[in-house]
Amino acid sequence: MLITPDEIKKSLSNKGWRYADKKISKSYTFDTYMEGIVFVQKIASLAEQNNHHPDISIGWCQVEISITSHNLNGVTTNCVNLATGIDMIQR
């Protein structure tokens, strides 16, 4: 089920996530390229466990995550739960 932009902002805006274009996104910065790669590998495992897969862009010492429900064309509670799980990986 899709959730409203207000619900998304209440859940994630204070954690650095942005909502735009029917998706939530966040950038993470690392000291080394390989730290970002290790982070992405952990996200991949979490995504498989949840059967919900983000779009991931890897750059030099930076990883950009975008999450949406491709089936429902927007953000769902599963998207928010995945975002929260990704933040827990990075702690």
Side-chain angles (χ1 to χ4, degrees), residues 52-89:
H52 196 57
H53 304 89
D55 293 326
I56 302 172
S57 176
I58 303 169
W60 179 250
C61 299
Q62 186 169 359
V63 174
E64 175 78 25
I65 307 295
S66 295
I67 307 171
T68 190
S69 171
H70 299 287
N71 294 339
L72 297 176
N73 194 29
V75 177
T76 66
T77 53
N78 287 341
C79 298
V80 171
N81 292 341
L82 181 59
T84 302
I86 291 170
D87 280 341
M88 292 179 79
I89 290 171

Side-chain angles (χ1 to χ4, degrees), residues 16-30:
W17 288 89
R18 302 171 307 280
Y19 173 75
D21 302 323
K22 299 182 181 181
K23 64 184 175 184
I24 52 177
S25 58
K26 185 173 181 178
S27 293
Y28 295 85
T29 303
F30 300 90

